[in-house]
Amino acid sequence: MLCVDDDPDIQTAIDIMFRPYRVEVDHAHYGMEGIARVTQWKPSLVVMDLAMPNGSGEDLLSVLKFNPMLKDIPVIILTGIRDADAERRTMLQGASSFLRKPLDFRQILFEVSRFIDLERRGRE
C-alpha cells in the first residue's frame, strides 16, 4: 500500500494501524513524489490526501486513472476537505472510496480490506 499524505501524523497512524497485518506500507509526502513512487512500485492500493503541496491528490488520481498500466490500482481518498464537489469529482475520476479525516480505524480497515488481504502476522 502506498500512503500519500504530507501530514507525518497520518503517515505514522497508517503505519501503526497496519503493523499487525502483512501489509507493506510505503509513503510519499506530496503529489509529485506519489506519482514517482506509484510508477516505480505499482502498489496494490493507494491511500491519499487531496490537499498537498507540489501536486494535489486530484493530480495524482488523474495520472493514475489515465495511465493504462496504473488505472486498475484502487485509490482511497482520505482527506480533511469537506467539499461535496471534491468528493463527486474524485469518485467520477475513478477513486474507490472517499473518507474524511480524522482517521476512523475501523472505517479505513474495512475499506482497505475490500482491496487487499489483511492477513494478520503470526507471532514473530
Side-chain angles (χ1 to χ4, degrees):
M1 169 177 20
L2 175 65
C3 176
V4 186
D5 199 307
D6 60 324
D7 184 340
D9 292 335
I10 296 295
Q11 291 188 8
T12 299
I14 294 288
D15 280 340
I16 291 168
M17 278 186 225
F18 291 97
R19 193 171 292 150
Y21 303 94
R22 295 185 182 276
V23 175
E24 182 181 350
V25 179
D26 192 14
H27 297 279
H29 300 92
Y30 50 87
M32 294 306 290
E33 182 184 12
I35 291 169
R37 286 243 206 284
V38 79
T39 54
Q40 293 167 353
W41 185 38
K42 294 186 183 73
S44 299
L45 174 69
V46 175
V47 176
M48 68 175 184
D49 194 2
L50 290 179
M52 296 179 287
N54 197 6
S56 73
E58 287 191 55
D59 295 339
L60 174 55
L61 183 61
S62 291
V63 168
L64 288 173
K65 296 306 172 182
F66 286 111
N67 183 322
M69 303 216 26
L70 306 173
K71 69 180 175 91
D72 293 328
I73 297 173
V75 176
I76 297 174
I77 305 295
L78 178 62
T79 188
I81 293 176
R82 301 284 190 251
D83 179 3
D85 288 335
E87 180 175 1
R88 189 171 27 262
R89 274 193 318 273
T90 57
M91 295 302 288
L92 286 172
Q93 281 182 292
S96 303
S97 301
F98 191 97
L99 305 177
R100 289 188 172 83
K101 295 175 184 176
L103 293 175
D104 178 331
F105 176 74
R106 290 171 299 198
Q107 189 178 28
I108 293 170
L109 196 63
F110 172 77
E111 290 298 325
V112 169
S113 73
R114 292 177 48 214
F115 305 106
I116 59 177
D117 182 22
L118 292 181
E119 178 184 344
R120 286 196 170 267
R121 293 182 188 272
R123 292 189 175 226
E124 296 175 8

